Amino acid sequence: MRYRLNHSKGGEKEMESRSFYTQLSHAPVRAAGNDVDLSIYRKAGEPTYGKFQYKAPAEGLVQVNGSHSEKFEWTDNFEIAYTKVGSKGPLVLFLHGVPTNRAQWEDIQRHVGRFCETIAIDMLGMGESTQPRQYGKKKDKGDNDRWYWKHDADYIEKLMQHEYPGRKFIFVADDWGSGIASHHAAKHNDRLDALVQLDPIAFDGYPVNEIQAIGRASMIPNTPEGDARFAAAFGAFDQTLALIYKTLVHDPAVFNQYKLRRLTFPYVDVDYERNGTGDGVTDVAKSTTLRLKMHNIRVLADRAAILSPALLLPYDAKRNPEGVKYEDITVPTLIMWGEYDNIMPAAQTQRFANVLGTDNVHITYVPRAGHFAGIDQPRFVADTIVNFIRRVKGRKALADINLGNEGIWKGDERLLIEELRAIYGIEVEPH
């Protein structure tokens, strides 16, 4: 097999034909072994953290002076928290599911960041983003449509334009985030290079029992007496969260007390063995004193209460005006679904291939994975995303050569990747 590389520099210049025989016929390097060695890849660099200042179209009641403060104020000045990993290659946005936050993507983002420039955000009302209770209800006491997924597309578009003016990106979303991504892609299709949906909520498969039970609690009045009723009803919410998380994965062992902390922190005091005085003795939380963040839980209930199948079924001017205009999504799309997802029906996968405005729909089932397939199988999901981006953007667009991150390696991968970088003109900073 011979491969010819063409480069343009003031005109078409044909380079000498190259053979891949040498690169793919190395003798194994015995000392390298046959385990996956991710150190051969370009380093993604240290994560950077920040917050985007978002001027919202309506006010919400925001907690002031800490997560257990009793002081609140109405404001439309919100913050959207983000984590950036990687500095070269195609731009990728990650959006999480519920009830989680951007930490859900950390393992995957670290690997994709070797090949792409990435950003993961906390959606409004979750994680470290602003938690506006009664969002939009200061003047309108009726149903609160500010929490419709289509409205999340506003701050996402403004954030991406602020941080990456004019750049197109690949939108990767999971669970709840995929409902937002569908609305965003339908409205801003020209801003995307591609769309990736992982176990997406879609069509009439949502809501689910686990979230409905939380949403119903939004009916408890927002009064001091109502807050007391809410606190009593959610006194075991940390246990509820743990059960939900372990239902959302195929292998419950992927979650333990420590791993759950990065996901539960918006709703539970996470580092409870360290108290205000820092001595590890005074006022250390016990089972009866561990504090739940009731304001944040009420925000989650507000969000969950308003969402319905109509918001994810296809748009119809008369019968479903709040639906998704799936036919307006014409970018290449990857749909991934956990093989053992028992929350959202995997049979919905094929529906995307028939309603999107593109024939370029790739479908992949994630083996040995539940609804949170990226937590069950982060390496498989990360590799699938990188390979999909390579197909969409081309080999030379990636910041490094991808040789995968699973399986049994031959042992010559360090030699192979260095030579392929030379062929494709990919420069990687020395470690």
Side-chain angles (χ1 to χ4, degrees), residues 195-198 332-336 360 362-364 384-385 388:
L195 176 65
V196 178
Q197 303 277 48
L198 180 59
T333 299
L334 167 65
I335 307 295
M336 286 186 283
N360 191 355
H362 184 71
I363 291 172
T364 297
T384 302
I385 291 172
F388 175 70

Side-chain angles (χ1 to χ4, degrees), residues 213-238:
I214 298 172
R216 291 191 194 100
S218 68
M219 295 185 291
I220 298 175
N222 283 274
T223 62
E225 295 78 12
D227 286 347
R229 284 176 53 197
F230 188 93
F234 279 79
F237 189 63
D238 47 348

